[in-house]
Amino acid sequence: MDYIQYIIPVLALSALCAGWVVVQMIARKMKTKNHFDHLGTGGCTNCTCGGVEVCENEK
């Protein structure tokens, strides 16, 4: 039963990560800022459009 002390925190952290992914997917669907749109591209540094419009350096 010693493994229970490790399983509970791992499951809690997994649930937290899954919740963050769901929030990012909802934000992407609503066309707001999220972390999925600019993975590996550097993103927009001076864009204030909130993810709705295309930034100047992405054209």
Side-chain angles (χ1 to χ4, degrees):
M1 288 306 233
D2 290 333
Y3 59 89
I4 292 287
Q5 68 183 358
Y6 298 108
I7 290 177
I8 292 173
V10 167
L11 289 177
L13 185 60
S14 299
L16 182 67
C17 291
W20 182 84
V21 169
V22 168
V23 167
Q24 294 302 311
M25 291 171 64
I26 291 171
R28 186 179 198 183
K29 190 171 202 171
M30 294 175 60
K31 305 278 189 213
T32 59
K33 285 188 178 181
N34 61 67
H35 292 283
F36 292 156
D37 285 342
H38 301 293
L39 286 176
T41 62
C44 239
T45 57
N46 53 359
C47 181
T48 59
C49 61
V52 178
E53 303 172 46
V54 176
C55 297
E56 291 178 0
N57 64 352
E58 293 177 351
K59 292 181 182 177

